[in-house]
Amino acid sequence: MARSRIRIDPSARTHVDAAINRWLDESIGRSILGDAQHLVHKRTGRLRDSLRAEVHDKVLRVGSLDCNYATDVEMGTPRHVILPRNKKALHWPGADHPVAKVNHPGTQPMPYLRPALYQRRTP
């Protein structure tokens, strides 16, 4: 019985890693990003425009770095009290009078990233 010898090219890992990164970026990343942009709640469009997809070392990241409220839209917020930081009272255009605090009822979650991620994707 003859033994076969297989020699694997040492640069094969680099080629495979590059192919995986390309696949994540061009196929999966673009698809998830497109779904997230379609599903996001659009008041001004700032959050939708800030969504990005990037791949580094076979890790795909989709989300926003620019909008500090992206997590609040996805997950919602609990009830909380808003207090003034620099003044003694809060006032905004349309308010009848300044107030010492505001009891915010919280916001309902409006998921856009998780549904985009959980979509079934077939080639």
Side-chain angles (χ1 to χ4, degrees), residues 4-5 8-9 14 18-20 24 29 32-33 45 47 56 59-60 62 66 77-80 82 84 86-87 120 122:
S4 65
R5 293 183 184 238
I8 298 175
D9 183 11
T14 305
I20 291 171
L24 284 171
I32 292 172
L33 178 62
L47 178 55
H56 295 288
V59 175
L60 170 65
V62 179
D66 302 82
T77 59
R79 295 170 43 154
H80 56 279
I82 301 173
N86 302 322
K87 304 282 183 172
R120 182 172 183 183
T122 55

Side-chain angles (χ1 to χ4, degrees), residues 10-26:
S11 67
R13 184 177 193 98
T14 305
H15 295 295
V16 170
D17 288 350
I20 291 171
N21 282 336
R22 230 179 2 265
W23 177 73
L24 284 171
D25 185 37
E26 294 172 4

Side-chain angles (χ1 to χ4, degrees), residues 63-75:
S64 171
L65 293 175
D66 302 82
C67 288
N68 57 355
Y69 56 87
T71 305
D72 294 340
V73 173
E74 176 78 16
M75 307 297 281

Side-chain angles (χ1 to χ4, degrees), residues 35-49:
D35 288 344
Q37 288 174 333
H38 176 72
L39 294 170
V40 70
H41 180 73
K42 298 167 194 73
R43 183 178 293 176
T44 64
R46 180 175 169 229
L47 178 55
R48 179 195 65 229
D49 295 342

